[in-house]
Amino acid sequence: IFSNIFCNEGSSLSYTQISECKSSVIINADVTASASSSISYNALSIDSCLYRNNMSVNLSGNDASAELSGLFFAKDRDHIEFHTEMKHSSSKTKSTQNFRGILSGSSSGFFNGLVKISGNGAGSEANQSNKNIIFGDKARMNSNPQLVIETDDVQCTHGSTTGQIDDDTLFYLRSRGIPVELAYQMVVAGFSSEIFEKIPNDELRSYILGIIDKSVSKVAG
């Protein structure tokens, strides 16, 4: 699947891509954001045995902004990858990346995120986050957040965490009479649904949350 997206000056776009294909999927998206434009790109992968999403965004005009969000559920021997490239080519541009994964069985995942702020990107802001929950001891996740900064006047953060569900959180829920399986599902549902809270279309957001609920019960049940 190939997508080329161009945001004209002052425009705003919300784009959501959902993959429920059980076979192999490769997605390539090229985005160019002109001055004062904004794009929100959301990606969800469910039930794919092999999935790769390549996102390349060029903030080519001053005050352009982009939000990239991704979520995947991997089970059995699934392999999921997100590769992002965020280029701040002009001044006062802003970007946010928020990617999350839930892995179980012998599945594996990979997040490779690059933020590059050019010498013309003074006053830019970039935030990148990758968080993952693993069930069992066979699933594997690799995360590689990167920053390349060619000017001093910027604000940047990036981080990555991967691990089991926090014991203190489970204890808190169990101490209030919530069964262990339901406690797991509640934690994973909250962790997952947060990604898509900003989607402006109510019908689409409700559809996605329904998909997440079904996927959570399969992984965390």
Side-chain angles (χ1 to χ4, degrees), residues 31-34 56-61 64 85-90:
V31 179
T32 300
S34 300
S56 178
V57 180
N58 182 17
L59 302 176
S60 64
E85 182 182 29
M86 181 69 67
K87 293 177 284 188
H88 291 252
S89 303
S90 295

Side-chain angles (χ1 to χ4, degrees), residues 1-7 12-19 25-31 38-44 51 53-57 65-71 82 99 195-196 198-201 204-205 208:
I1 300 174
F2 294 90
S3 300
N4 286 298
I5 300 171
F6 184 84
C7 298
S12 178
L13 174 66
S14 178
Y15 179 86
T16 300
Q17 186 272 325
I18 304 172
S19 175
V25 179
I26 298 177
I27 296 168
N28 296 284
D30 267 319
V31 179
S38 64
I39 182 168
S40 173
Y41 185 113
N42 310 286
L44 173 63
Y51 173 94
N53 195 320
N54 304 305
M55 306 178 190
S56 178
V57 180
S65 63
E67 293 186 9
L68 302 184
S69 300
L71 173 68
F82 279 107
F99 288 83
I195 290 287
F196 300 103
K198 294 183 179 180
I199 290 179
N201 185 297
L204 177 59
R205 188 171 62 252
I208 291 174

Side-chain angles (χ1 to χ4, degrees), residues 90-185:
S90 295
S91 65
K92 299 180 181 179
T93 52
K94 296 181 180 181
S95 69
T96 301
Q97 299 184 54
N98 192 1
F99 288 83
R100 300 191 178 187
I102 298 94
L103 303 94
S104 63
S106 298
S107 62
S108 57
F110 183 43
F111 172 76
N112 184 46
L114 171 64
V115 175
K116 183 175 182 179
I117 301 181
S118 75
N120 297 322
S124 295
E125 299 178 22
N127 300 283
Q128 185 185 73
S129 174
N130 175 229
K131 298 180 180 179
N132 309 282
I133 292 177
I134 290 181
F135 289 89
D137 57 4
K138 295 182 179 179
R140 295 289 181 267
M141 181 69 197
N142 293 302
S143 185
N144 184 32
Q146 307 165 69
L147 293 175
V148 177
I149 302 172
E150 298 177 352
T151 184
D152 294 331
D153 182 19
V154 298
Q155 298 180 43
C156 296
T157 64
H158 69 157
S160 174
T161 60
T162 298
Q164 306 281 342
I165 291 178
D166 181 63
D167 289 338
D168 291 338
T169 301
L170 285 178
F171 177 80
Y172 175 83
L173 295 172
R174 293 297 309 282
S175 67
R176 278 148 181 77
I178 298 174
V180 62
E181 289 187 1
L182 181 57
Y184 273 112
Q185 291 180 22

